[in-house]
């Protein structure tokens, strides 16, 4: 299964301990899907959870396969929803624990998470801007930076940072998914660090090789046009050492001189040779 499905599978099994939290979770589900979407029992995980929550809150019975008109009316009354409600009632989601359940319900009904191995993206698709605005505010009470945007006539509440997605999973009580995502983030961070170091080393090696090639070309040109024996003794010496050791870094190159000199001294002499060649 995808990571998003794995998260939902975990959350389907999370049943709030308190009745008011069950009500808050159903409020999130019904606002996204509509109460009529769950009139008849099916084997779909979300449908099963809704009937489980209704049994625990309204005692409809475990064997009920269809919701009567009276049960639907009682459900709306319990959720404090009217036929034209576009947002959750503030009384239903006033406590932090209820806010957690409300977010969980909304995600189960209309949310998704991208494969974290490819990128970080969490979203919940809302039917109305009012619902998107409310959900964004509720999520942001848990120190994440949720935003929403219009897309194809819907309103999408989203998170783009890995750390914030970890936090919202923790808020929804998806403990196993939190651990899995954290492990993926650690591996990606280590890989990123290694890649940056390798790229940096590769770039440095490239610069060193290019510099050595320019120096050797300059020495050959000076030898062809002037003759190395016409150069000052110090430049003759460094020119010959560079020709004899084309792959040696500047710091080590100075150890072949008599007396040895440091990297800056070697660099100064080789730069002088290059400048002389450029003048030719």
């Amino acid at each position: 299964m995808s990571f998003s499905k794995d998260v939902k599978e975990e959350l389907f099994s999370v049943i709030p301990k308190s009745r008011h939290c069950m009500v808050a979770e159903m409020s999130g589900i019904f606002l996204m899907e509509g109460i009529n979407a769950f009139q008849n029992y099916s084997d779909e995980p979300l449908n099963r959870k809704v009937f489980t929550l209704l049994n625990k809150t309204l005692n409809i019975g475990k064997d009920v396969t269809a919701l009567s008109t009276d049960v639907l009316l009682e459900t709306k009354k319990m959720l404090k929803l009217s036929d034209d409600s576009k947002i959750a009632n503030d009384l239903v989601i006033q406590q932090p624990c209820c806010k957690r359940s409300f977010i969980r319900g909304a995600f189960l009904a209309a949310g998704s998470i991208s494969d974290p191995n490819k990128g970080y993206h969490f979203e919940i698709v809302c039917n109305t801007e009012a619902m998107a605005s409310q959900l964004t505010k509720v999520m942001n009470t848990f120190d994440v930076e949720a935003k929403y945007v219009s897309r194809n006539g819907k309103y999408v509440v989203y998170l783009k940072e890995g750390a914030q997605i970890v936090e919202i999973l923790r808020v929804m009580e998806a403990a196993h998914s939190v651990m899995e995502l954290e492990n993926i983030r650690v591996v990606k961070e280590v890989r990123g660090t290694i890649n940056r170091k390798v790229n940096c080393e590769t770039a440095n090696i490239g610069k060193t090789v290019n510099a050595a090639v320019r120096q050797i070309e300059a020495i050959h040109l000076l030898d062809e046009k002037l003759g190395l024996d016409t150069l000052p003794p110090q430049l003759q010496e460094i020119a010959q050492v560079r020709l004899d050791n084309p792959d040696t870094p500047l710091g080590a190159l100075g150890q072949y001189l008599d007396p040895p000199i440091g990297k800056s001294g070697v660099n100064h002499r080789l730069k002088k040779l290059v400048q002389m060649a450029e003048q030719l």
Side-chain angles (χ1 to χ4, degrees):
M1 290 192 297
S2 68
F3 182 74
S4 188
K5 288 183 178 179
D6 288 341
V7 173
K8 288 191 175 184
E9 281 296 319
E10 180 177 6
L11 293 179
F12 284 135
S13 65
V14 176
I15 304 298
K17 296 180 180 179
S18 303
R19 184 179 185 277
H20 51 81
C21 290
M22 295 180 193
V23 171
E25 184 163 347
M26 283 190 288
S27 182
I29 294 172
F30 289 146
L31 281 167
M32 296 296 173
E33 290 280 346
I35 291 179
N36 292 333
F38 302 97
Q39 279 187 303
N40 298 305
Y41 181 83
S42 75
D43 203 35
E44 290 295 322
L46 184 59
N47 188 283
R48 290 201 308 268
K49 183 162 192 180
V50 166
F51 271 72
T52 297
L53 293 175
L54 285 174
N55 182 47
K56 289 181 175 295
T57 53
L58 295 179
N59 195 27
I60 62 173
K62 293 182 179 181
D63 299 326
V64 171
T65 58
L67 301 180
S68 65
T69 301
D70 290 341
V71 171
L72 290 175
L73 291 174
E74 189 65 22
T75 300
K76 289 181 179 180
K77 181 179 178 182
M78 175 179 65
L79 301 180
K80 296 180 173 55
L81 295 177
S82 62
D83 290 335
D84 60 349
S85 292
K86 300 188 185 307
I87 61 174
N89 190 294
D90 288 338
L91 293 175
V92 172
I93 55 172
Q94 62 180 332
Q95 300 185 55
C97 57
C98 295
K99 288 181 171 66
R100 292 174 181 271
S101 297
F102 176 71
I103 296 169
R104 181 169 57 246
F107 175 76
L108 286 175
S112 64
I113 305 178
S114 64
D115 181 353
N117 288 295
K118 298 178 181 179
Y120 300 122
H121 184 79
F122 171 101
E123 68 174 41
I124 299 176
V125 181
C126 302
N127 293 317
T128 66
E129 185 173 10
M131 181 61 201
S133 177
Q134 181 185 52
L135 180 58
T136 299
K137 291 177 182 178
V138 172
M139 289 172 61
N140 288 343
T141 61
F142 296 99
D143 295 325
V144 297
E145 296 178 8
K147 300 176 182 178
Y148 73 89
V149 65
S150 175
R151 183 204 294 165
N152 299 326
K154 303 282 188 176
Y155 296 88
V156 181
V157 180
Y158 67 92
L159 296 171
K160 300 289 286 186
E161 297 292 333
Q164 294 182 18
I165 295 175
V166 167
E167 183 58 32
I168 206 66
L169 288 177
R170 187 177 288 114
V171 165
M172 294 189 297
E173 300 180 86
H176 179 76
S177 298
V178 167
M179 292 177 61
E180 185 177 351
L181 181 53
E182 286 284 39
N183 288 337
I184 292 173
R185 290 182 66 220
V186 169
V187 170
K188 288 181 69 174
E189 185 175 340
V190 170
R191 284 178 179 168
T193 300
I194 292 174
N195 287 337
R196 285 191 294 272
K197 288 183 177 180
V198 169
N199 291 337
C200 183
E201 289 295 328
T202 301
N204 289 337
I205 290 172
K207 290 179 181 178
T208 300
V209 170
N210 290 337
V213 169
R214 287 197 304 272
Q215 294 158 5
I216 292 172
E217 288 177 347
I219 293 169
H220 283 313
L221 180 63
L222 291 171
D223 189 26
E224 178 186 341
K225 299 292 185 180
L226 303 176
L228 294 182
D229 56 351
T230 64
L231 300 176
Q234 289 183 337
L235 296 184
Q236 288 185 44
E237 185 182 21
I238 194 63
Q240 191 58 55
V241 167
R242 171 47 90 195
L243 290 175
D244 294 340
N245 304 276
D247 301 325
T248 304
L250 297 185
L253 207 61
Q255 302 306 306
Y256 293 104
L257 301 176
D258 186 20
I261 62 174
K263 180 179 178 180
S264 60
V266 172
N267 188 46
H268 175 75
R269 294 184 187 183
L270 290 173
K271 275 188 175 181
K272 183 65 176 177
L273 291 173
V274 172
Q275 289 172 357
M276 293 174 65
E278 288 174 348
Q279 291 174 358
L280 295 175

